[in-house]
Amino acid sequence: MNDLDAPGTYTDHDSGGMGDLIEGLPAQVADAWEASASMGLQAAETPSQVLVLGMGGSAIGGDMLAAVVAAQSPVPVRVIRGYDVPPGLGPETLVVASSNSGSTEETLTALDAVLEMGAKVVAITRGGTLGAIAEDRGLPIYRHDFVSPPRAAIGHSLMPLLRIAERVGLVQDADASVVEAVAVMSELRERIRIEVPEPENHAKQLARRLSGKLPVIFGAEHLVPAARRWRTQFAENAKTWAIVDELPEADHNTIVGFHRPGWLPERMHAVFLRDPSLHPRVRIRYGLTQQALTDLHVPYDVVESSGSGPLSDILSAVLFGDYVSYYLAMADGVDPTPIEPIDRLKARLAEIEG
């Protein structure tokens, strides 16, 4: 395994500057929040529902938004990952089409359907076909020029969504939440950035323990989207499998399967994303689930989120997970930026009509 405190480890394996992108996440969130203030959506009546169309890094922002506004929003927020949308949408539905590239096949197909139904649509993109459609139809659009893989542009996915939610009455005082989240992430970054040596760096230490293991990430309530983010970052950055499970649901099924197959526990390492604001009974379940893993000799770590609200909780957990996935890639000598399997699949799809 590579030395995570040696500068050469990063210069040798990080061809696309993923480490710099992760380090810049707090600033990106602040910049995106400021930029979203000038998007072409004015204050409006609260819709009957909000749908976010997106895939991958463009969709996870929708999951995070739903978790952030859950306690305040008078209407549901749903994320549509796919080609089809629910029937019967109309002007009372607000749809946000989010595609970093502007060319995501599933999102564009779903967008055609909602436009045909007459739903209100807002676009979030760097340009591409989605940008062209928004301009041609005069749709409100958040257009950014942040050049990075979609997964590294999460600030430009989530912040305009939060701005939209504020303007249609789903959440109040979002500005204060963003300020706190940026401050919390900035403070956390100083403790886990590359320059902090491994003996003092909890993200590097966790990455070291996860090397060669199957990560199993547990989350609950508003931290479930953060757990999903950990899984996708392990896949794309570290090029490794990971599993996500949700409490308390896992205690009604997954816990039974801990015992089989018998060879699996020694290959697993669990991570629990936890926050003091979780329901007291859920926090008790965390302890009991951890004990069940201990009985099977499955190691686990607990990562406590920071802040006093769901936005800072989620984004601090996201930043920690991004660093862990990056350090795992560096430890294993994996370049975190390329995603050749996705590129090959897209190229093959382009050859197939239908």
Side-chain angles (χ1 to χ4, degrees):
M1 294 178 64
N2 290 319
D3 183 356
L4 292 177
D5 292 338
T9 295
Y10 302 93
T11 56
D12 289 347
H13 301 293
D14 186 8
S15 67
M18 185 59 69
D20 292 335
L21 291 169
I22 293 171
E23 182 171 329
L25 182 58
Q28 180 194 143
V29 168
D31 292 344
W33 179 246
E34 182 178 356
S36 69
S38 60
M39 67 188 301
L41 178 69
Q42 304 303 316
E45 291 185 3
T46 301
S48 63
Q49 62 178 325
V50 176
L51 302 183
V52 179
L53 313 180
M55 303 296 300
S58 298
I60 193 66
D63 292 331
M64 294 177 187
L65 175 72
V68 168
V69 306
Q72 299 183 43
S73 177
V75 301
V77 177
R78 300 171 56 191
V79 180
I80 305 297
R81 288 177 166 86
Y83 299 91
D84 297 322
V85 297
L89 305 182
E92 73 286 349
T93 299
L94 175 62
V95 176
V96 184
S98 179
S99 169
N100 188 69
S101 66
S103 60
T104 306
E105 178 178 297
E106 299 93 331
T107 302
L108 293 175
T109 302
L111 174 62
D112 286 341
V114 299
L115 289 172
E116 183 70 22
M117 294 178 188
K120 295 179 180 178
V121 177
V122 182
I124 298 174
T125 185
R126 286 181 58 203
T129 302
L130 176 56
I133 292 173
E135 290 183 355
D136 181 63
R137 291 178 171 265
L139 304 176
I141 181 172
Y142 174 84
R143 185 191 292 270
H144 67 90
D145 57 3
F146 187 76
V147 180
S148 77
R151 65 188 184 275
I154 186 64
H156 292 285
S157 170
L158 176 57
M159 289 299 102
L161 284 173
L162 185 61
R163 182 73 71 178
I164 292 167
E166 183 181 56
R167 290 187 174 173
V168 299
L170 271 60
V171 66
Q172 305 295 323
D173 199 20
D175 188 68
S177 296
V178 173
V179 170
E180 186 210 12
V182 171
V184 166
M185 284 192 293
S186 298
E187 190 277 332
L188 172 62
R189 179 189 58 195
E190 296 309 303
R191 293 186 277 115
I192 59 174
R193 65 194 312 170
I194 293 172
E195 293 78 8
V196 179
E198 186 171 338
E200 304 166 15
N201 190 320
H202 294 305
K204 288 182 180 180
Q205 294 168 13
L206 179 53
R208 184 75 66 188
R209 290 192 288 273
L210 289 172
S211 182
K213 298 285 188 174
L214 173 62
V216 183
I217 316 302
F218 289 90
E221 299 173 10
H222 59 285
L223 292 179
V224 171
R228 292 175 185 153
R229 168 74 172 189
W230 277 57
R231 178 184 62 80
T232 58
Q233 290 295 80
F234 279 126
E236 294 192 75
N237 286 346
K239 278 68 177 176
T240 188
W241 284 52
I243 296 172
V244 168
D245 218 324
E246 180 177 349
L247 288 166
E249 176 67 20
D251 288 346
H252 293 265
N253 36 65
T254 303
I255 194 169
V256 182
F258 282 176
H259 298 76
R260 299 187 62 183
W263 50 264
L264 187 56
E266 66 183 30
R267 292 169 169 80
M268 295 167 53
H269 191 113
V271 179
F272 290 83
L273 306 185
R274 194 172 63 182
D275 179 75
S277 69
L278 297 176
H279 191 284
R281 298 293 291 180
V282 171
R283 289 181 63 83
I284 292 172
R285 286 179 176 274
Y286 267 66
L288 295 175
T289 307
Q290 290 159 7
Q291 183 59 55
L293 290 173
T294 298
D295 292 343
L296 293 171
H297 307 290
V298 176
Y300 70 85
D301 279 88
V302 177
V303 175
E304 291 277 2
S305 60
S306 306
S308 61
L311 184 63
S312 56
D313 292 342
I314 292 169
L315 287 177
S316 63
V318 163
L319 182 64
F320 196 96
D322 284 6
Y323 267 109
V324 172
S325 70
Y326 177 69
Y327 291 140
L328 180 57
M330 294 297 98
D332 291 345
V334 174
D335 190 335
T337 301
I339 48 171
E340 286 96 344
I342 295 177
D343 295 335
R344 287 196 299 269
L345 187 146
K346 286 183 176 179
R348 184 70 183 100
L349 276 172
E351 299 171 356
I352 302 174
E353 295 184 1

